[in-house]
């Protein structure tokens, strides 16, 4: 049956998941709890000033397997979901591989990415709590675009702090956010105390997600009458939970095909799209139903948290205002190079993804951006979708796995997440096409400078 699989398989609208799946419920060892700077385990009241109440509950719940998706959220999902599961026939032929290559395409919405899945949920909970405004950071701009759309739908004010290098590389992303009435500020900025401190220490800073998070949290805490909250587009347990719709739809589509992936691949910056894609397949592995499935996280060599980082408690932001998470980290003070995979330039990784990697359930590889863009261009020419630089990391690794199958003759089934489109990344494609793109891999000395910012916690680390 799979030999005649459609190029694009769309589930019916009534097959959109009615519940999000919480992978933590099936993990034999849970991710370490969020902690305060003094080492104490964070309680709901500790997080409530920063996050919406319902999101705090989702963040801290390691045991509830399924959370109902509110009907207003599902109604918005129906506008652009279900997203298609696609078979990359042209790519398979070009690689001469016996492998079957599938990808879950999340780019069919205004944001052009998977980010809308969590943005709608987070904006809904903010509105339900009768808040006035929300704040956030954005790297490449997909999250900021998605949240601008969601905030406008639910009638919320939105302040976005956009990593400065992306702000300059992708002005049209900013234009879309402003179309949805969001206020967009390049980070680091002189509009917050933390931003001013960063600029005084690094006047030429191109920014980082860690710095933008600090600015967004500071702004949220200063919205009058306690009517503001901060929202994060990746890393957190709650975001991985919302992104499980990607994996759940993929799982249902494979059931219709009578197929099952042997390798599941996702790009990894903060870990939400990867965690969401692998969730139901990892559940099967943890339960012993498909123990041989491989899961591969692909990150940029310029920001290699999973492959060269340390598994430790660290601040989620450069300004050290957020609680501590146990994760693979390069240190909250790590300053990534200004490469074009802006959405992957984060110093840490999702606690869920980090725990799976630490316990041996997940592999990780780091790849150079010139190799990534070579794969992106080849994919675009064959499959007619120009991928986002972030997504192209997964494409690169899927092609590598398919080439191995060509050498061994194994007809493996490969699934990767095509998390977004690259039509606002043309400066990057222009640099690659002109041969002007360069690679940067941090030296051991650069990594040590970042590691030095990981906090010491008495009795813990």
């Amino acid at each position: 049956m799979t030999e005649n699989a459609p190029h694009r398989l769309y589930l019916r609208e009534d097959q959109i998941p009615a519940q999000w799946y919480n992978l933590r419920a099936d993990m034999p060892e849970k991710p370490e709890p969020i902690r305060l700077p003094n080492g104490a385990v964070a309680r709901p009241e500790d997080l409530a000033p920063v996050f919406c109440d319902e999101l705090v509950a989702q963040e801290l719940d390691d045991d509830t397997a399924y959370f109902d998706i509110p009907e207003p959220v599902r109604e918005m999902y129906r506008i652009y979901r279900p997203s298609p599961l696609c078979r990359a026939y042209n790519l398979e032929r070009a690689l001469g591989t016996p492998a079957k290559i599938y990808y879950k395409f999340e780019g069919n919405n205004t944001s052009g990415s998977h980010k809308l899945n969590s943005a709608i949920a987070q904006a809904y909970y903010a509105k339900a709590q009768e808040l006035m405004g929300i704040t956030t950071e954005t790297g490449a701009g997909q999250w900021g675009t998605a949240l601008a759309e969601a905030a406008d739908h639910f009638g919320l004010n939105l302040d976005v702090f956009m990593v400065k290098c992306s702000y300059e590389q992708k002005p049209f992303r900013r234009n879309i956010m402003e179309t949805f009435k969001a206020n967009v500020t390049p980070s680091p900025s002189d509009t917050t105390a933390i931003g001013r401190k960063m600029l005084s220490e690094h006047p030429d800073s191109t920014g980082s997600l860690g710095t933008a998070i600090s600015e967004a949290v500071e702004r949220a805490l200063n919205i009058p009458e306690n009517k503001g909250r901060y929202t994060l587009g990746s890393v957190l347990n709650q975001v991985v939970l919302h992104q499980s719709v990607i994996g759940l739809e993929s799982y249902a589509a494979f059931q219709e095909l009578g197929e099952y992936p042997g390798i599941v691949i996702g790009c990894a910056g903060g870990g939400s799209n990867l965690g969401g894609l692998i969730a139901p397949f990892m559940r099967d592995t943890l339960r012993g139903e498909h123990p041989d499935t491989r899961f591969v996280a692909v990150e940029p060599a310029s920001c290699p948290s999973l492959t060269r980082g340390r598994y430790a408690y660290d601040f989620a932001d450069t300004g050290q205002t957020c609680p501590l998470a146990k994760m693979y980290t390069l240190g909250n003070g790590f300053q990534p190079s200004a490469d074009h995979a802006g959405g992957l330039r984060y110093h840490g990784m999702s606690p869920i993804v980090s725990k799976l990697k630490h316990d041996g359930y997940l592999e990780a590889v780091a790849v150079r951006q010139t190799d990534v863009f070579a794969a992106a261009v080849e994919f675009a020419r064959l499959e007619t979708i120009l991928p986002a630089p972030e997504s192209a990391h997964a494409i690169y690794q899927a092609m590598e796995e398919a080439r191995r199958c060509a050498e061994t003759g194994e007809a493996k089934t490969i699934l990767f997440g095509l998390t977004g489109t690259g039509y606002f990344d043309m400066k990057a494609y222009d640099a690659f096409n002109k041969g002007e793109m360069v690679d940067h891999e941090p030296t051991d000395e650069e990594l040590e400078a970042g590691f030095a910012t990981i906090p010491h916690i008495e009795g813990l680390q």
Side-chain angles (χ1 to χ4, degrees):
M1 180 178 177
T2 55
E3 294 306 315
N4 297 313
H7 285 75
R8 291 192 172 201
L9 174 59
Y10 284 92
L11 299 174
R12 300 184 311 275
E13 192 172 285
D14 62 6
Q15 291 177 289
I16 296 173
Q19 295 178 309
W20 294 302
Y21 167 60
N22 181 11
L23 179 57
R24 286 168 290 163
D26 283 296
M27 292 175 66
E29 292 186 17
K30 313 298 185 186
E32 296 293 327
I34 294 174
R35 294 181 183 271
L36 303 179
N38 63 7
V41 174
R43 300 166 299 175
E45 54 266 34
D46 297 319
L47 302 180
V50 179
F51 301 110
C52 296
D53 294 345
E54 183 59 32
L55 295 173
V56 170
Q58 294 175 1
E59 185 67 29
L60 300 180
D61 191 331
D62 285 343
D63 302 311
T64 302
Y66 293 93
F67 287 82
D68 290 340
I69 302 176
E71 182 53 34
V73 175
R74 291 194 79 222
E75 183 59 32
M76 282 292 286
Y77 279 0
R78 293 184 186 102
I79 296 174
Y80 66 99
R81 305 203 70 84
S83 65
L85 180 71
C86 307
R87 177 80 178 267
Y89 282 109
N90 287 348
L91 182 60
E92 292 172 13
R93 285 190 284 267
L95 295 175
T97 182
K100 304 181 187 76
I101 305 174
Y102 290 90
Y103 59 93
K104 182 66 165 170
F105 180 47
E106 290 290 307
N108 281 336
N109 61 75
T110 303
S111 73
S113 80
H114 68 290
K115 295 291 188 178
L116 197 56
N117 300 328
S118 186
I120 292 171
Q122 295 192 49
Y124 165 77
Y125 289 123
K127 183 66 174 181
Q129 199 169 320
E130 300 182 344
L131 299 178
M132 292 170 50
I134 51 178
T135 70
T136 197
E137 83 300 323
T138 194
Q142 289 99 328
W143 170 246
T145 304
L147 192 61
E149 183 176 358
D152 187 49
H153 176 76
F154 288 109
L156 296 164
N157 295 324
L158 173 62
D159 284 324
V160 180
F161 289 88
M162 189 172 185
V163 174
K164 184 178 290 183
C165 66
S166 292
Y167 182 94
E168 294 169 349
Q169 291 169 354
K170 304 174 185 181
F172 297 128
R173 279 283 182 194
R174 168 172 51 83
N175 294 154
I176 294 180
M177 291 181 238
E178 292 171 342
T179 297
F180 287 102
K181 303 177 183 178
N183 303 306
V184 187
T185 303
S187 174
S189 75
D190 61 3
T191 67
T192 68
I194 291 172
R196 290 189 290 272
K197 180 176 183 293
M198 292 299 300
L199 287 172
S200 69
E201 296 173 353
H202 306 281
D204 299 323
S205 173
T206 58
S208 69
L209 283 168
T211 299
I213 289 171
S214 295
E215 293 204 87
V217 171
E218 180 181 325
R219 179 66 55 81
L221 293 174
N222 284 283
I223 292 176
E225 302 177 23
N226 194 33
K227 289 290 188 178
R229 292 294 186 277
Y230 165 69
T231 59
L232 184 61
S234 190
V235 183
L236 296 175
N237 298 330
Q238 57 186 272
V239 188
V240 176
L241 174 72
H242 304 152
Q243 295 297 352
S244 67
V245 297
I246 303 172
L248 292 168
E249 285 186 5
S250 301
Y251 194 91
F254 273 113
Q255 286 184 315
E256 292 201 2
L257 292 171
E259 182 65 277
Y260 197 94
I263 309 172
V264 185
I265 302 168
C267 63
S272 68
N273 90 82
L274 171 68
L277 175 67
I278 69 174
F281 304 103
M282 182 64 76
R283 173 192 62 199
D284 287 356
T285 294
L286 296 175
R287 292 177 178 178
E289 296 172 12
H290 286 273
D292 298 325
T293 305
R294 288 177 53 217
F295 301 92
V296 185
V298 192
E299 64 183 4
S302 61
C303 197
S305 59
L306 282 172
T307 53
R308 297 176 68 188
R310 294 180 179 173
Y311 189 50
Y313 270 104
D314 195 12
F315 288 100
D317 65 316
T318 303
Q320 301 185 348
T321 61
C322 292
L324 302 165
K326 185 72 173 287
M327 58 185 176
Y328 279 96
T329 178
L330 299 172
N332 61 84
F334 177 75
Q335 292 294 313
S337 64
D339 70 13
H340 293 283
L344 304 184
R345 297 172 67 251
Y346 181 63
H347 66 270
M349 186 59 60
S350 154
I352 293 174
V353 172
S354 294
K355 180 64 173 172
L356 292 170
K357 164 68 163 53
H358 181 262
D359 290 353
Y361 295 103
L362 176 75
E363 305 169 30
V365 296
V367 294
R368 301 179 304 174
Q369 69 170 345
T370 52
D371 293 333
V372 165
F373 272 85
V377 168
E378 184 173 2
F379 179 87
R381 290 171 176 166
L382 292 168
E383 297 293 330
T384 75
I385 297 173
L386 189 73
E390 295 80 9
S391 307
H393 287 69
I395 293 172
Y396 170 85
Q397 189 61 28
M399 292 170 66
E400 288 293 291
E401 299 289 347
R403 289 189 179 102
R404 291 192 189 101
C405 288
E407 295 172 356
T408 64
E410 296 174 281
K412 294 182 179 180
T413 299
I414 300 168
L415 168 65
F416 71 88
L418 180 49
T419 54
T421 55
Y423 301 110
F424 293 102
D425 299 279
M426 297 317 299
K427 283 189 176 181
Y429 278 98
D430 185 54
F432 176 78
N433 291 332
K434 290 179 177 177
E436 298 172 354
M437 181 174 286
V438 297
D439 293 309
H440 176 78
E441 297 182 41
T443 64
D444 290 342
E445 290 74 18
E446 288 175 311
L447 292 181
E448 286 299 327
F451 294 149
T453 65
I454 297 174
H456 171 73
I457 308 171
E458 194 66 36
L460 280 178
Q461 65 184 34

